[in-house]
Amino acid sequence: MDYAATLLAKLPGASKRDHGLRHLIETLESYLPAAQVEAVMQAYEFGAAAHDGQKRQSGEAYISHPVAVAQELADMHLDAQAISAAILHDVVEDTAASLTDIEDKFGSDIAILVDGVSKLDQIQFRSRAEAQAESFRKMMLAMIEDIRVILVKLADRLHNMQTLAAMPAKKKARIARETLDIYAPIANRLGINRFKVMLEDLGFRYLYPMRYRVLDKALRRSKGSQRQMVKKISEELDQALAGEGIAADVIGREKHLYSIYKKMLEKKRLLSDVVDVYGFRIIVDDVNDCYKVLGLVHGLYKPMPGRFKDYVAIPRINGYQSLHTTLFGPKGQPLEVQIRTREMDRVAESGVASHWQYKAEEKSDATPQRRARDWLSNLAELQRSGTSEEFLESVKVDLFPDKIYVFTPKGDILPMPKGSTTVDFAYAVHTDIGNRCVAAKIDRGLVPLRTLLQNGQTVEIITTRGSRPNPHWLTFVRTAKARNAIRTHMKSMRSSESVDLGKRLLDRSLKDLASSLRKVGKVRMKAALDELGLNNIEELFEQIGLGERLAPLTARFLLGSDEEGASESGKASLVIAGTEGMVVSYARCCHPIPGDDVMGYLSSGRGIVIHRNKCGNLSNFRKQPEKWLSVSWEDEIDREFSSQIQVDTQNKPGVLAEVAAMIADSGSNIEQVSVLGRHEDCSVLSFLLQVKDRQHLAKIMRNVRNMPNVIRVSRDCA
Ligand code: MN
């Protein structure tokens, strides 16, 4: 076509140094309509310009690599988007062009594919334990939203393996190992046999160069001596097929080196036993012919008992279909024969990729997920015959995962449910780590603890001795393990804190009645505990501290002076130091701070909640006076409290930032900012602050009030 021809003419040295472009165009033209070939060529022009001047390790122009990757996928007849993404797959990583450039020029589908490949490149396989490799494969599959991403990645890896010779020795071994541990098994899992076979042989070659050479040599030698025999058998098969009027292709099968090596290793077989086997594949037009051909070859040569397998009726779990049989050849040597249809052959070679092969009649409105599901349901369909569904289940889980996979700092991979946070991660590592965690890093950068984890991230937890879980974490943790651990810890903490508080409350009430625990005495106490059904005095303190039992009533009960009314309660007030822990809390409606006039409300199960006397909720006081007690502040309190102020400002740009800066300058942290209202010329802002006491708050409010754009400052009180 014209466009491609113009493009080729522009290349230096025309046909020789076309970086594989001519072959790619020919392949594409054989199955794609002209408009789509042109679209791919535009991707080529863009990629070639972006990579201009870059060289591969081998010295070749860089663009030859993406073109080779595209060729690999074109050989499988993949759609134009996948081919374009293959050509552009290294552009974002290695050139000045950005993902936005690609999206603007080629649309979001292709941009998503390119981005997916770049993301896979960024995660690094670090350890090589078996289980770790398995997790890593799952992590890679979990990261992709479109299976075509992994197809591009596999083709990319394949070409890198084909050109590995140019790499330094150390790198060769590492990349080869990774190929055997990660990429070949993924290809196998997705049923893409052609990738699996090539990746395994290349991985084997560079990881075990000596073994590879010996095996390769032996295989070549035997192939030489087998040539006559292969020819003879082929002719006999052809003749027999023609005699029956069956159209079929007979192919002498090449041996896959790595599978031979594995067979020798696993079955402890001699090289000669494994190598001296003849392999044939017979491809026919339809399923009936498969069985006809089977009968035919069984008539021609004697079948070896127990070696016949019908993967047509009962396919392998990755969708592979074929008839397998082993025969005694003309001289008694084993003859392995595979019989299948063209369609079965295509699926056997491309697996999941066969669902992205370009078909002219097909409308491509199916989403990537739909197509992957189609492939899986195809497999499920084939599996109805009742073979194990385990593989299918595991592929399904890999392709539509409900898990994400993250790294520990040591490089171990931890699976976590989707939606997990750094706190979930901390608890997944160890309960102690969770209980003591104070901060987290993702990919070496500090993040808030509530940050959601993403696939492939490295997560590090920072702990300090003596720190403890924050009840607030319960609002964002995702895993049951974290939630239970936090609750358990809180329960035990609350119990010891409420024992302390309960004792103080009871002491105070006894004092009001001119008594004390000592005056009550052990004998009376024991009798009282028995009567209340409690085991020991700590349980009594705890119930009082949690507000489940009222201190003044308990005091009178202990003293046996029931007749007096409740009006006497609250003579001496309880002193609050701010260090009581979870059994004393500060109401969120009125945000009391030291210096405010306050009251305490005994809330069953929660201990004492402090309110400002001004708070509207104090109207409850009249309804249940026995639940309210008078409290006062300790003189020296060394902690900060939340307080809320409302600021009315002029509607000027930057005014929010100015006010926030002033608050920070006044020595306060801002917990939360919200815009309550915005009118034509004024805005109403609300700040939740950390302050020491009333004086501190007054200073902040004064500073803010004096700002030029501020109209009014007030303290919120509901
Ligand atoms: Mn690449």
Side-chain angles (χ1 to χ4, degrees):
M1 72 175 271
D2 291 340
Y3 188 79
T6 338
L7 205 56
L8 280 171
K10 276 198 277 184
L11 289 170
S15 71
K16 265 281 163 60
R17 296 180 46 206
D18 66 357
H19 314 309
L21 186 62
R22 183 176 301 274
H23 181 39
L24 178 63
I25 293 171
E26 280 165 10
T27 314
L28 294 176
E29 282 176 339
S30 75
Y31 73 95
L32 285 182
Q36 295 194 19
V37 178
E38 180 157 342
V40 175
M41 285 308 113
Q42 272 161 10
Y44 170 83
E45 274 202 300
F46 184 86
H51 286 296
D52 189 36
Q54 295 178 343
K55 292 241 180 303
R56 294 274 287 172
Q57 197 85 18
S58 61
E60 273 185 282
Y62 196 91
I63 190 66
S64 64
H65 163 65
V67 169
V69 174
Q71 179 69 48
E72 208 49 68
L73 300 180
D75 287 342
M76 288 201 286
H77 289 197
L78 285 203
D79 60 33
Q81 288 186 337
I83 308 286
S84 300
I87 291 179
L88 299 169
H89 81 271
D90 277 332
V91 161
V92 175
E93 280 286 275
D94 298 342
T95 80
S98 74
L99 196 62
T100 325
D101 294 340
I102 291 181
E103 188 171 352
D104 289 347
K105 230 171 144 39
F106 303 103
S108 61
D109 283 355
I110 290 175
I112 287 169
L113 293 176
V114 172
D115 188 41
V117 178
S118 309
K119 278 189 183 135
L120 287 189
D121 284 335
Q122 280 158 15
I123 61 167
Q124 284 261 329
F125 182 58
R126 278 172 276 188
S127 127
R128 80 152 307 266
E130 192 93 11
Q132 187 74 3
E134 170 76 18
S135 301
F136 194 84
R137 291 195 292 267
K138 284 187 177 164
M139 178 193 270
M140 288 193 71
L141 289 173
M143 278 180 74
I144 52 173
E145 276 153 39
D146 188 326
I147 298 281
R148 288 176 295 179
V149 168
I150 205 78
L151 299 178
V152 174
K153 187 65 211 163
L154 288 171
D156 176 41
R157 176 50 65 115
L158 179 58
H159 186 246
N160 285 336
M161 289 302 290
Q162 284 162 344
T163 52
L164 199 60
M167 286 284 175
K170 223 176 162 185
K171 244 186 165 174
K172 272 184 207 166
R174 185 184 65 77
I175 295 175
R177 165 118 269 162
E178 196 182 67
T179 300
L180 287 178
D181 283 349
I182 308 295
Y183 291 95
I186 287 182
N188 184 42
R189 209 169 185 92
L190 299 177
I192 315 168
N193 192 51
R194 54 183 287 149
F195 280 172
K196 179 202 147 193
V197 166
M198 290 191 279
L199 288 170
E200 282 186 346
D201 277 357
L202 287 163
F204 177 46
R205 175 171 167 189
Y206 287 106
L207 192 60
Y208 302 111
M210 284 296 282
R211 296 177 217 188
Y212 180 89
R213 258 203 301 276
V214 171
L215 213 56
D216 189 44
K217 217 166 161 191
L219 214 61
R220 271 176 216 281
R221 212 181 302 126
S222 77
K223 215 185 280 168
S225 61
Q226 285 175 355
R227 196 168 294 139
Q228 278 309 99
M229 185 58 74
V230 170
K231 200 173 163 227
K232 182 173 183 286
I233 297 169
S234 290
E235 281 168 6
E236 286 183 5
L237 286 171
D238 278 337
Q239 229 167 25
L241 288 163
E244 288 292 315
I246 301 171
D249 292 337
V250 178
I251 303 157
R253 213 149 43 83
E254 287 281 318
K255 283 290 172 173
H256 167 202
L257 265 175
Y258 188 64
S259 72
I260 294 175
Y261 171 70
K262 272 206 306 203
K263 224 179 237 173
M264 289 170 62
L265 217 59
E266 279 160 20
K267 301 195 173 159
K268 307 227 175 348
R269 302 266 280 278
L270 287 174
L271 182 61
S272 56
D273 292 346
V274 184
V275 170
D276 286 338
V277 174
Y278 295 78
F280 288 91
R281 181 174 301 156
I282 303 174
I283 313 265
V284 294
D285 287 333
D286 61 49
V287 177
N288 272 339
D289 284 349
C290 289
Y291 292 99
K292 271 195 216 156
V293 170
L294 179 74
L296 198 80
V297 296
H298 279 188
L300 207 55
Y301 305 107
K302 205 171 147 55
M304 211 177 270
R307 295 291 295 271
F308 168 64
K309 297 234 166 57
D310 188 347
Y311 294 122
V312 170
I314 304 172
R316 279 190 184 149
I317 22 210
N318 59 6
Y320 175 87
Q321 284 187 291
S322 203
L323 297 177
H324 286 193
T325 186
T326 306
L327 313 162
F328 291 105
K331 285 184 179 161
Q333 70 282 54
L335 209 66
E336 287 178 0
V337 181
Q338 301 175 345
I339 306 161
R340 59 203 195 206
T341 65
R342 265 168 238 292
E343 175 64 13
M344 290 173 192
D345 195 46
R346 192 175 68 89
V347 171
E349 287 302 296
S350 339
V352 72
S354 61
H355 278 255
W356 273 276
Q357 283 171 353
Y358 174 81
K359 295 187 194 84
E361 71 277 9
E362 206 174 77
K363 286 214 179 67
S364 62
D365 55 355
T367 63
Q369 285 80 2
R370 260 274 309 285
R371 294 202 189 203
R373 264 178 226 282
D374 282 353
W375 176 64
L376 281 171
S377 66
N378 246 26
L379 293 189
E381 187 89 351
L382 292 171
Q383 295 315 311
R384 267 198 317 214
S385 37
T387 40
S388 150
E389 288 187 3
E390 220 170 280
F391 173 91
L392 192 59
E393 279 307 312
S394 72
V395 176
K396 201 188 291 176
V397 168
D398 287 354
L399 292 184
F400 304 104
D402 51 3
K403 283 200 168 73
I404 55 159
Y405 298 83
V406 291
F407 288 106
T408 68
K410 282 183 186 155
D412 292 335
I413 297 171
L414 223 57
M416 303 287 305
K418 267 188 183 166
S420 292
T421 62
T422 63
V423 173
D424 292 293
F425 175 87
Y427 278 105
V429 173
H430 197 281
T431 306
D432 276 349
I433 306 276
N435 283 338
R436 290 187 290 121
C437 83
V438 289
K441 285 182 176 178
I442 287 179
D443 296 333
R444 298 216 188 88
L446 272 173
V447 296
L449 282 174
R450 63 180 314 140
T451 307
L452 293 183
L453 302 178
Q454 311 275 346
N455 258 309
Q457 289 177 330
T458 301
V459 188
E460 189 183 340
I461 297 297
I462 298 158
T463 60
T464 55
R465 196 191 296 269
S467 70
R468 42 195 201 179
N470 185 334
H472 178 59
W473 294 349
L474 286 172
T475 60
F476 61 74
V477 293
R478 166 80 169 71
T479 54
K481 184 171 184 195
R483 202 172 310 122
N484 291 337
I486 296 167
R487 285 214 179 108
T488 307
H489 194 92
M490 275 168 55
K491 224 184 242 168
S492 73
M493 248 161 57
R494 176 146 39 199
S495 134
S496 79
E497 285 168 354
S498 53
V499 167
D500 288 350
L501 179 71
K503 181 166 184 303
R504 283 173 64 193
L505 289 169
L506 187 60
D507 274 342
R508 196 199 55 149
S509 291
L510 285 167
K511 212 168 159 193
D512 285 348
L513 300 170
S515 185
S516 69
L517 275 172
R518 207 160 46 84
K519 282 185 187 161
V520 171
K522 279 189 183 149
V523 180
R524 169 64 196 141
M525 183 58 83
K526 175 84 178 67
L529 289 175
D530 283 348
E531 208 173 321
L532 296 172
L534 299 173
N535 294 317
N536 51 49
I537 197 162
E538 276 74 29
E539 281 184 18
L540 179 64
F541 291 156
E542 184 177 348
Q543 286 189 347
I544 295 170
L546 287 173
E548 284 162 6
R549 197 177 284 281
L550 297 174
L553 297 179
T554 310
R556 279 196 296 279
F557 170 71
L558 287 174
L559 298 174
S561 53
D562 265 337
E563 67 283 354
E564 276 180 74
S567 62
E568 243 188 301
S569 75
K571 269 183 198 159
S573 61
L574 181 77
V575 178
I576 300 295
T579 53
E580 287 79 6
M582 280 183 285
V583 284
V584 170
S585 54
Y586 304 89
R588 292 179 154 271
C589 46
C590 56
H591 295 291
I593 57 174
D596 287 335
D597 293 329
V598 286
M599 288 285 276
Y601 177 73
L602 272 165
S603 166
S604 185
R606 283 177 59 201
I608 300 173
V609 184
I610 310 294
H611 288 265
R612 287 163 68 189
N613 285 358
K614 282 185 180 171
C615 179
N617 282 324
L618 236 68
S619 57
N620 285 329
F621 176 76
R622 274 170 219 102
K623 287 178 216 153
Q624 330 164 269
E626 75 283 357
K627 289 228 162 188
W628 289 91
L629 58 144
S630 88
V631 294
S632 59
W633 299 99
E634 182 105 53
D635 289 340
E636 295 284 324
I637 295 181
D638 188 25
R639 59 160 278 184
E640 300 204 315
F641 295 82
S642 294
S643 179
Q644 199 158 30
I645 59 169
Q646 185 182 314
V647 183
D648 300 3
T649 66
Q650 315 264 14
N651 236 345
K652 293 251 172 71
V655 72
L656 174 61
E658 284 169 21
V659 174
M662 176 57 81
I663 291 171
D665 282 349
S666 312
S668 168
N669 280 323
I670 299 171
E671 282 178 47
Q672 210 181 313
V673 184
S674 42
V675 179
L676 297 180
R678 180 158 287 177
H679 314 287
E680 207 168 315
D681 51 0
C682 111
S683 292
V684 183
L685 313 172
S686 168
F687 292 85
L688 192 61
L689 314 169
Q690 294 264 307
V691 299
K692 293 193 187 68
D693 50 25
R694 267 179 86 88
Q695 272 188 318
H696 185 196
L697 181 64
K699 186 182 113 194
I700 296 167
M701 289 172 70
R702 197 166 51 242
N703 290 347
V704 173
R705 197 173 288 127
N706 288 336
M707 297 176 69
N709 288 324
V710 170
I711 304 162
R712 207 174 77 95
V713 182
S714 61
R715 186 168 172 199
D716 286 347
C717 183

